[in-house]
Amino acid sequence: MNIQIILLITLALLIALGFSFYLNLYKNTKSFGNFALFGLRSFSILLILLLLVNPKITHNESFRVKEKLIILSDASESIKILQKDSVVQNFQNKILSSEKLNNKFEIINYNFGEELITSDSTSYFSEDLTNIQQSLKQAEELMNNSKGVLVLLSDGNQNTGRDFRYYKSSGTTEILPIIVGDTSSFEDVAIQRINVNRYAFLNNKFPVEVFLNYSGSNERTTKLQILNSGKVIFQKDIEFSEKNRSLIINAELEAKSIGLKNYTARLSKLPDEKNFRNNTENFSVEIIDESSKIMILSPGPHPDLGALKAAIESNSQRKVEIQYIPDFNNNEISDIQLFVLYNVNQNFQKNLESISGLEAGKLFITGPETDWQFLNEFQLGFSKNSIDQEQDVFAVKNDNFTIYQPKHLAYEDLPPLQIAFGKTEVDANRYAVQLYQKIQGVETDSPLLAVSRTKPKIGLLTGENIWRWRAASFRKDQNFEQFNGFISDLVQNLSAVKSNERLIVEHPQSFLENELIEISAAYYDENYSFDSGANINISISDSLGNTVLKTSLVVRNLKYVAEIGNLAPGNYTYKLQAENTNLRKNGAFNVLDYNAEEQQQTANLASMQFLATNNNSTVFYEDQFKTFEDYLLKNDSHRPVLKSEQKTVPLIDWYYLLFLVVFALALEWFYRKYKGLI
């Protein structure tokens, strides 16, 4: 209180005493009655003046602050199905009625299903989904960054939302899981996933990747078998242990006959295993016959012809015949899948007329000796105005080439090819450029290698002396594999006249209600290799034709995947389209009524323990209330805090002073009335 207020209070006291003295004692007898009136009037005037001065009174208040203890009780159907509803309620009621806990904590009770609900909700033990992670997050938000305890009273079975095991509380909140339900666990082995390419080539081997999981703590041996038409074609003994729970098994299977082949991967059962449904997984592979005959037509011998023949025939399914134009026989071309036309000139007139009507692919290899004026007349989608002069060109890869995924060479280390001087033009709508030309260190937009987008397939290699690439590849790697693969991919694309599906959609015919609906697709390039660079969209409609969702598929594990989310029970159709192609698929599926809460028969002990470990906490069980209570009572980190707060209150807020003023004035009036002074 400052000096100014003290002076004002002193002045108020002097005024009250002086005024009362003048009214009651000055020139009056000094009787008891006058002294009484003096006192009452002085008191009432002093109070009135003090209220006008209105000094502020400062004082300290002490109070006890208790931490919050929030009970999160699982109100999902699984608790009732496990016949643990009374257990949850009893444990909850024991916490709420514990005098010791109430003395230490401010106890708040909530229930939860898919999200947090109030404890007086009518949906107790009737929630059809459980999201523990979301409920923990919402409850901690109610703490408002203050210290406290979250008691999770649940069986730990969650069927929607993010995995609650990895939920990490703030440093001020302790999470105490209380496990409700049977915590018995059984050993289990499972085939988690199988990765395999949808296509394989006849008489080749194709890889299969099998992901295996084991739940248990003992050392166990099982056997993985892959069967085709009931016959075991691959088997391997598998050893699991507590430290070796996940394995990836790679198998190579032989493609012995063409067509769609169905396979079954199967794990033998463990002695005490209860769940056998995840021990078996089916998959399919389409075997393609890539055997083909290739004919090379040339005006005469050239080192390129031998290099091409050796590279193409490195695949045992392909046979190459070299024909020189003077010896060409038109009667032997009906079963040819690809013609390689080397340095075309006017002598090819009859040959080109003979093969133009065939479905076979064509690869034109040009060089300084090519008669471009003659070749331009066929209007094949490419042309060139050349002069009789040689020019060296180097290869530059086109990163935007998407017709297929070729095996690339180290182009920067390759020697140049020879072309006829002049600019080559190709129709961009008909051809995709795989390699561009680099001339004297300058990259150009002239194609060195281009492939047609439509069938019958046409390829254009505008430079000769490719035998030099084969020699350079061997010099670098001490083998011809890279060069052979490069030529093999090109030949496979140009000679692929058989029609196989490039866009394949896979999904179960039926989904369960509240299940994540996943539709996957495999998209292959023209060489039937998986293409991860496409844009694939899906549109889903209900039974009334209303569009319920449009989205794009994302690449995951060698597949395009659309995760639709939860749909209401009913029938649905979809349309799937690969952008910038005419590839599309239509299909249908249905969603069945399903109660996810009925699927678990035991408590999820491992997840609840992991949650506790992740938060440096302790797990309790349904029959350990006394242990749980003692833990909280003995934990000094959760003691109530005694706080002191300084409060400043203006005197005018003391409303009872008004009653004292009124009382003093009233008492003075009655006394004067009684004495006949009024």
Side-chain angles (χ1 to χ4, degrees), residues 68 72 96 120 134 165 201 280-281 283 306 317 320 336 385 421 488 525 540-541 547 580 599 606 631 645 647 657 669:
K68 290 181 180 179
L72 291 179
L96 293 171
D120 58 354
Q134 178 68 12
R165 294 180 301 167
F201 296 117
T280 303
E281 185 82 17
F283 63 96
Q317 297 295 303
V320 177
I336 301 298
N385 293 321
F421 185 86
S488 181
D525 61 26
I540 297 178
S541 303
T547 301
N580 302 320
Q599 305 309 307
Y631 171 82
E645 184 178 3
K647 290 187 176 181
L657 291 180
W669 184 86

Side-chain angles (χ1 to χ4, degrees), residues 237-368:
D237 291 332
I238 309 297
E239 294 183 356
F240 288 109
S241 66
E242 186 174 7
K243 295 182 179 179
N244 192 28
R245 295 176 178 269
S246 299
L247 292 174
I248 301 176
I249 305 300
N250 294 298
E252 284 195 344
L253 308 182
E254 291 187 9
K256 294 184 177 181
S257 59
I258 63 173
L260 185 64
K261 304 299 177 182
N262 297 315
Y263 299 87
T264 300
R266 183 175 65 193
L267 274 174
S268 57
K269 303 171 184 176
L270 299 180
D272 299 325
E273 191 172 5
K274 302 296 183 181
N275 182 15
F276 308 133
R277 288 181 294 180
N278 55 11
N279 288 36
T280 303
E281 185 82 17
N282 298 319
F283 63 96
S284 299
V285 176
E286 185 171 356
I287 310 300
I288 300 173
D289 182 6
E290 65 167 350
S291 63
S292 55
K293 291 183 178 181
I294 292 93
M295 180 176 286
I296 300 177
L297 295 175
S298 173
H302 193 283
D304 281 354
L305 307 186
L308 290 170
K309 178 178 172 66
I312 296 171
E313 289 187 344
S314 64
N315 185 327
S316 60
Q317 297 295 303
R318 297 177 180 141
K319 300 300 179 185
V320 177
E321 180 183 358
I322 298 176
Q323 287 273 354
Y324 301 121
I325 294 303
D327 304 324
F328 179 67
N329 187 347
N330 290 347
N331 298 325
E332 300 177 356
I333 63 173
S334 59
D335 59 347
I336 301 298
Q337 278 77 49
L338 174 65
F339 290 94
V340 179
L341 301 152
Y342 194 86
N343 271 334
V344 173
N345 56 36
Q346 291 187 358
N347 294 330
F348 279 74
Q349 179 73 45
K350 292 183 179 180
N351 311 108
L352 289 175
E353 291 175 355
S354 299
I355 68 177
S356 60
L358 301 177
E359 292 185 356
K362 304 172 188 66
L363 172 60
F364 291 87
I365 301 179
T366 66

Side-chain angles (χ1 to χ4, degrees), residues 392-460:
D392 288 343
V393 296
F394 293 86
V396 177
K397 182 177 69 171
N398 178 16
D399 293 326
N400 297 321
F401 180 77
T402 59
I403 297 295
Y404 62 93
Q405 282 78 53
K407 295 178 180 65
H408 291 293
L409 302 171
Y411 300 113
E412 64 277 4
D413 298 328
L414 295 178
L417 301 183
Q418 285 187 324
I419 67 170
F421 185 86
K423 182 176 177 60
T424 306
E425 302 283 352
V426 294
D427 185 346
N429 294 323
R430 292 180 59 181
Y431 289 86
V433 177
Q434 181 177 338
L435 300 175
Y436 287 106
Q437 298 177 10
K438 182 165 71 171
I439 302 173
Q440 296 180 350
V442 179
E443 296 181 9
T444 71
D445 58 358
S446 290
L448 180 60
L449 175 61
V451 177
S452 68
R453 305 177 190 273
T454 58
K455 296 182 179 180
K457 299 290 290 184
I458 298 177
L460 172 65

Side-chain angles (χ1 to χ4, degrees), residues 142-154:
L142 295 174
M143 292 285 192
N144 198 23
N145 295 324
S146 60
K147 285 190 65 178
V149 180
L150 286 180
V151 179
L152 177 62
L153 193 57
S154 173

